Amino acid sequence: MPRLSEVIAELDALWPPERAEQWDAVGTVCGDPDAPVTRVLFAVDPVREVVEEAVKLGADLLVTHHPLYLRGTTTVAAGHFKGRVVHTLIKNDIALQVAHTNADTADPGVSDALAGALDLRVVRPLVPDATDPNGRRGLGRVCELDRPETLREFAARAAKRLPATAQGIRLAGDPDALVRTVAVSGGSGDSLFDQVRAAGVDAFLTADLRHHPASEATQHSPLGLVDAAHWATEWPWCEQAAAQLDEISDRHGWDLRVHVSKTVTDPWSAHHDSPSGAPN
């Protein structure tokens, strides 16, 4: 049975904290380094529903992609929802570990998991990490399809293979345009349009596309845009990360029980189609 410090050391080897962006908050949020770990839960968001799931599961360690405190805090009082998360974790002897931008750019990273969920062949990073001599780390991925399909068909593929959310999948561009190459980036990706255009791909799948960047992108070129929910584009990483920890556990003979949360923590809870017709 490993100690928390031993498990964290292996996770830090997968996603070195020093590779996180300077503004990011990764690593151990709470937890006793000497505490034993037998059960681990992976999730995207460290929110109340996920923490309650970890308690019910009897997890000793919760690993999330998103930080609990990204901008710092002056209190962990239980009257605030984040403080309540901390109190619940500590009371139930559950450690919290965060792998965010250090997992985004890893090899394999968040966008590799996204590409795998869509059955795409990864060609290279979209924004390579200059410190990687092998050219495999970096933000986003440039991918190829096994065979060309229309943008409409590719969006349908995303809707079928990614976890269901209230948003579903939005697309911009000619639905009948053929797609052979795709850039993917898990999470918010509209800061990457310059790199996507430079990659010369037919489509870009990401999340949180805002009006002005998306509008400008469609004016620049016939690039097809496929916009999924933020949570849905990052959830495949949880399965990938759990498999990585399973392999580590087997190698060390730890016999860890590793789980992936299927709790939908996308904040949007419902979707209504707009009535047909022109605006009033």
Side-chain angles (χ1 to χ4, degrees):
M1 184 184 302
R3 294 177 299 158
L4 175 64
S5 60
E6 295 175 290
V7 178
I8 296 303
E10 292 289 349
L11 298 182
D12 283 348
L14 292 175
W15 317 298
E18 62 270 19
R19 291 189 187 144
E21 296 290 339
Q22 290 187 347
W23 51 263
D24 205 0
V26 302
T28 307
V29 177
C30 62
D32 179 351
D34 293 323
V37 176
T38 61
R39 195 180 296 269
V40 182
L41 178 65
F42 283 86
V44 175
D45 297 301
V47 294
R48 177 180 54 81
E49 295 88 345
V50 168
V51 171
E52 290 174 352
E53 181 181 357
V55 172
K56 185 176 180 180
L57 185 67
D60 308 296
L61 171 61
L62 171 62
V63 182
T64 65
H65 182 51
H66 289 152
L68 179 62
Y69 289 106
L70 184 58
R71 294 177 176 84
T73 186
T74 59
T75 177
V76 292
H80 303 273
F81 89 88
K82 292 188 178 185
R84 173 60 64 187
V85 164
V86 173
H87 278 250
T88 303
L89 289 169
I90 293 175
K91 283 183 178 180
N92 290 277
D93 295 319
I94 302 171
L96 174 60
Q97 179 77 5
V98 173
H100 192 212
T101 54
N102 50 328
D104 285 333
T105 59
D107 172 33
V110 170
S111 293
D112 290 295
L114 175 57
L118 297 170
D119 200 22
L120 303 174
R121 184 172 72 86
V122 172
V123 177
R124 64 183 185 276
L126 176 63
V127 185
D129 181 344
T131 68
D132 178 17
N134 297 316
R136 295 177 61 88
R137 293 198 308 266
L139 188 61
R141 295 294 184 265
V142 175
C143 307
E144 293 179 345
L145 281 68
D146 286 338
R147 60 174 182 78
E149 60 188 32
T150 66
L151 181 61
R152 179 187 290 106
E153 290 170 331
F154 180 68
R157 175 200 293 233
K160 180 179 179 181
R161 294 176 180 245
L162 293 180
T165 62
Q167 171 184 313
I169 303 293
R170 302 187 299 179
L171 67 86
D174 179 1
D176 295 319
L178 280 182
V179 175
R180 299 176 179 85
T181 56
V182 181
V184 300
S185 182
S188 303
D190 63 15
S191 65
L192 301 174
F193 277 127
D194 287 344
Q195 292 88 341
V196 170
R197 282 191 289 270
V201 294
D202 301 314
F204 180 34
L205 185 147
T206 188
D208 296 342
L209 290 181
R210 294 169 296 162
H211 174 89
H212 293 296
S215 176
E216 291 175 5
T218 58
Q219 296 299 310
H220 269 291
S221 71
L223 176 70
L225 304 181
V226 181
D227 183 41
H230 190 122
W231 172 83
T233 63
E234 293 181 331
W235 184 84
W237 173 80
C238 296
E239 290 195 322
Q240 175 180 276
Q244 289 176 282
L245 183 56
D246 266 331
E247 189 277 328
I248 291 168
S249 175
D250 290 344
R251 181 166 15 107
H252 289 295
W254 284 348
D255 195 29
L256 290 177
R257 286 159 286 180
V258 182
H259 305 262
V260 174
S261 173
K262 292 182 170 57
T263 301
V264 178
T265 54
D266 185 77
W268 304 107
S269 57
H271 171 87
H272 294 277
D273 290 328
S274 300
S276 60
N280 293 326

